[in-house]
Amino acid sequence: MNLAINSLSNRRPNFPYTTPGLGDRTHTMLCAYQYSKKHNVPVTIHITSDKCDKDHKFESWNQLQQMIPNVNVMVWPVKGLSEKDWRNYLKEKGFESETYFYSDTAEFLPLQSNEGIDFAQYLKELPCLEPIDCSSSFGNIPEKFATLQFDSTDDMRGAEGQKLIKLKEKYESEGYKLITIGGKSKHKKLRESLQHIGYLISKADIHIGADSGMFHLAQLYKPWNKIHLLKGSFLSHHAQRAIINGVTLI
């Protein structure tokens, strides 16, 4: 199956959709994998060049392809096309592509077309993938621990200062050893290697954090109720979907 990832935003008119965050790229791969698993077919994701226009984006797409089976990514040297022109471009290149929408969070995505695959049905249960084995990098893992990420590029989603201290105290009082992953981690591999981060998330009792990149990585390895999501002042369609499907809400 060939999946054409939106060229333009579903929320802002005539604005490009560039998968700006790691969460966007991980979510795209998750949707493709869930479809692949359900229908027992490989999926090729087709993306416009502005979704891969920075080194860190390129690197994360590559890492995710190593972590998620049966899903590949093809990048095309076009951008800013309407959805119709984008799919026609792929057709001219020999690829009949599918589009997609989300029926569960339509109010958050006013510009979506409601055509193609309804990905909402594929996200009710998460895949709990087997991670790439990175055990040699960690030594003894605590008996009871949680992965943690509360930093976000969006101030309305994360936690810092006294709020973060109180959240950490809450979980430490419940017996969890807390291991920070993502940009605030002190360990290079837990900042830069998605494979290592994914391995640690898979071994943790729970993942705790904001609606950010690590929240989406956790969806590859944890069921909804083992992900603890901070309810920020802004709810993305991803956060709203998580609430619908049974995420543990902080």
Side-chain angles (χ1 to χ4, degrees), residues 27-246:
H27 173 77
T28 299
M29 295 288 291
L30 170 63
C31 289
Y33 174 76
Q34 293 291 75
Y35 185 94
S36 171
K37 181 180 178 183
K38 176 71 173 179
H39 299 282
N40 194 31
V41 293
V43 175
T44 297
I45 292 171
H46 297 266
I47 60 175
T48 52
S49 61
D50 51 359
K51 296 172 181 57
C52 203
D53 57 353
K54 293 180 171 59
D55 288 346
H56 72 275
K57 289 185 182 182
F58 181 83
E59 177 60 27
S60 63
W61 284 117
N62 282 340
Q63 289 193 47
L64 288 165
Q65 286 179 90
Q66 295 174 44
M67 297 161 65
I68 300 174
N70 299 323
V71 181
N72 295 300
V73 178
M74 290 187 71
V75 186
W76 295 95
V78 292
K79 60 183 178 179
L81 300 179
S82 70
E83 303 310 327
K84 181 179 179 180
D85 288 345
W86 167 221
R87 293 183 70 203
N88 281 340
Y89 172 87
L90 291 175
K91 187 174 182 178
E92 290 171 359
K93 298 295 183 180
F95 296 96
E96 290 285 351
S97 61
E98 295 283 351
T99 187
Y100 58 96
F101 69 101
Y102 305 91
S103 62
D104 55 358
T105 53
E107 68 273 26
F108 290 79
L109 302 165
L111 301 178
Q112 71 174 357
S113 67
N114 297 323
E115 296 179 357
I117 302 165
D118 179 7
F119 273 138
Q121 64 183 308
Y122 297 97
L123 298 171
K124 294 182 182 299
E125 294 185 5
L126 296 174
C128 298
L129 290 174
E130 188 68 25
I132 293 173
D133 185 4
C134 298
S135 56
S136 61
S137 297
F138 292 108
N140 293 325
I141 293 176
E143 184 174 337
K144 183 177 180 180
F145 78 100
T147 51
L148 182 89
Q149 186 217 13
F150 279 111
D151 58 303
S152 172
T153 54
D154 185 340
D155 293 339
M156 295 187 290
R157 302 189 195 193
E160 56 185 11
Q162 194 62 32
K163 184 178 181 180
L164 178 56
I165 291 171
K166 288 183 177 180
L167 285 168
K168 287 182 175 180
E169 289 175 346
K170 171 187 181 300
Y171 283 100
E172 287 173 340
S173 71
E174 296 173 7
Y176 291 102
K177 169 71 174 177
L178 302 180
I179 301 178
T180 298
I181 58 177
K184 297 292 185 180
S185 177
K186 295 179 181 179
H187 303 283
K188 182 178 175 65
K189 283 187 169 60
L190 294 181
R191 291 193 306 271
E192 300 178 3
S193 170
L194 302 185
Q195 291 96 326
H196 285 79
I197 295 169
Y199 176 81
L200 200 63
I201 290 172
S202 75
K203 301 303 177 185
D205 294 275
I206 57 175
H207 171 75
I208 311 163
D211 176 10
S212 193
M214 302 300 107
F215 164 63
H216 287 274
L217 277 179
Q219 291 173 42
L220 301 178
Y221 301 104
K222 287 279 179 275
W224 283 116
N225 65 343
K226 297 297 184 181
I227 301 172
H228 292 221
L229 174 66
L230 177 67
K231 185 177 181 181
S233 56
F234 168 78
L235 282 179
S236 69
H237 75 98
H238 303 295
Q240 184 62 36
R241 181 174 303 106
I243 293 169
I244 292 169
N245 289 327

